[in-house]
Amino acid sequence: MAEIIQKDGTWTFDGDAVRIVPGRDKGVGLLRQTLGEVLVPLRALAGISYEPGRKAGRLRLRLRDGADPLLQVTGGRLPEASDPYRLTVEPDRGGVAEYFVDEVRNALLLDQVDAGPVGSYLLPGPAVPITVGAGDGTVAFDGDRVSLEWNWTTEEAKRSGGAREFRVADLRSVEWAPSRGLDNGWIRFALAGAGQSAAPKYDPYTVELFGFKKDPLMALVAAAVAVRMPHPAAPAASPELPSGAAARPRAEPEAAPAAAPVLAPAEDHDALLRRLRELGELHQAGILTAEEFTTAKAAILGRF
């Protein structure tokens, strides 16, 4: 088991999943605080890295494309303070961060986890019910129905139509975009069969965002809705046959030759001994606490 505790949050790895708990430091964004604890299964990971820095380092998880609904709807546009898969690491804990990276990478290698994209979500998304008020409206979602209500900043042409309510099954897509410069952001719900959407300011199915503190929370709403919709990479459903028509049998594809099993390399005892010496030096230098040293030592000894 590997663990790193920082003001920015705590990451724990038990061999099967990385558990992320946000901290209470002022640098922790409102989205991360609201989202709370996140459990990332090993099979959802594409990689992990540690980037040392003079004032602080960065520990980053890279998820497989399509594994997380939050990353799917935000498309890499989340502010850094709102990114749940980034951890600020104090300079004197760089050794712990590197050990954490080694543990996760070794597990990915031993389990032969494919780093490629997936066709279904591997994380459950934000908890519901969820209600967020930002920009010119409030969105509430109970896991099935979405409701939109307007406030005094809403354009009259949109507000005059009253509140809107619809089901996830009625949706074609949900989109979130942050404010950039003088351009406002939005969360847009596109209904199946509807024509081209109007500008966010006038669209009765879009909440316009003005670039304030609560804007990123709308990304949580979008993710909670998206995870209950068909995955963008899921195979399209086969068209239904006309009544009474018989399905034409398809030729069986030739069986591909069986691939030789890939075996994980045996542990190199010399490398493990070197790692033990490095941990001892980190402990003597005060970089690792006694508890961290004991945990890391036990993990390595267990591999002999």
Side-chain angles (χ1 to χ4, degrees):
M1 179 171 174
E3 184 176 62
I4 180 167
I5 303 173
Q6 297 291 278
K7 294 178 182 178
D8 198 33
T10 299
W11 287 16
T12 307
F13 179 59
D14 62 2
D16 295 319
V18 176
R19 186 179 301 275
I20 298 173
V21 180
R24 298 185 178 182
D25 188 63
K26 62 181 180 180
V28 179
L30 185 58
L31 182 148
R32 289 173 59 198
Q33 296 173 14
T34 305
L35 180 61
E37 181 178 305
V38 178
L39 189 66
V40 185
L42 186 66
R43 64 193 179 99
L45 290 178
I48 184 172
S49 64
Y50 172 62
E51 306 160 5
R54 189 184 309 176
K55 293 185 178 180
R58 295 287 185 274
L59 195 58
R60 297 182 186 273
L61 280 182
R62 184 167 60 88
L63 273 64
R64 298 171 66 184
D65 289 344
D68 179 26
L70 178 61
L71 296 183
Q72 183 70 33
V73 298
T74 56
R77 294 169 295 179
L78 276 177
E80 189 164 292
S82 298
D83 186 352
Y85 305 116
R86 175 201 58 82
L87 182 71
T88 300
V89 179
E90 298 163 16
D92 63 346
R93 284 294 177 265
V96 182
E98 290 175 352
Y99 172 72
F100 193 96
V101 168
D102 287 346
E103 289 295 290
V104 175
R105 284 179 176 170
N106 287 339
L108 289 171
L109 177 63
L110 292 174
D111 283 22
Q112 300 177 28
V113 175
D114 183 358
V118 295
S120 61
Y121 293 118
L122 303 181
L123 277 78
V128 293
I130 182 172
T131 301
V132 175
D136 69 351
T138 296
V139 182
F141 179 53
D142 63 5
D144 178 44
R145 293 185 179 274
V146 180
S147 63
L148 309 179
E149 295 186 358
W150 312 115
N151 58 39
W152 66 274
T153 67
T154 310
E155 180 71 22
E156 178 60 27
K158 182 161 68 172
R159 187 172 58 195
S160 61
R164 302 283 173 166
E165 183 174 297
F166 45 89
R167 302 182 63 183
V168 173
D170 301 328
L171 288 174
R172 182 178 73 245
S173 65
V174 56
E175 304 170 5
W176 174 87
S179 300
R180 290 187 181 277
L182 299 178
D183 296 328
N184 291 336
W186 68 79
I187 178 171
R188 173 182 286 132
F189 300 93
L191 271 64
Q196 186 175 1
S197 300
K201 185 176 184 177
Y202 304 104
D203 186 358
Y205 294 97
T206 299
V207 173
E208 188 177 30
L209 305 175
F210 305 140
F212 297 132
K213 182 179 180 181
K214 290 187 176 180
D215 281 13
L217 296 184
M218 284 296 186
L220 295 181
V221 177
V225 173
V227 78
R228 291 165 173 82
M229 297 176 63
H231 193 282
S238 300
E240 295 184 3
L241 292 171
S243 177
R248 179 181 297 176
R250 291 186 299 175
E252 292 293 332
E254 293 183 6
V262 180
L263 300 179
E267 292 283 4
D268 185 339
H269 283 200
D270 290 339
L272 293 177
L273 290 173
R274 285 196 301 272
R275 188 60 177 155
L276 281 174
R277 286 196 294 271
E278 291 171 1
L279 289 173
E281 292 170 359
L282 290 172
H283 177 47
Q284 292 176 0
I287 295 176
L288 290 178
T289 66
E291 182 179 356
E292 291 167 342
F293 173 68
T294 301
T295 301
K297 179 182 176 182
I300 291 179
L301 291 176
R303 296 182 182 179
F304 278 95

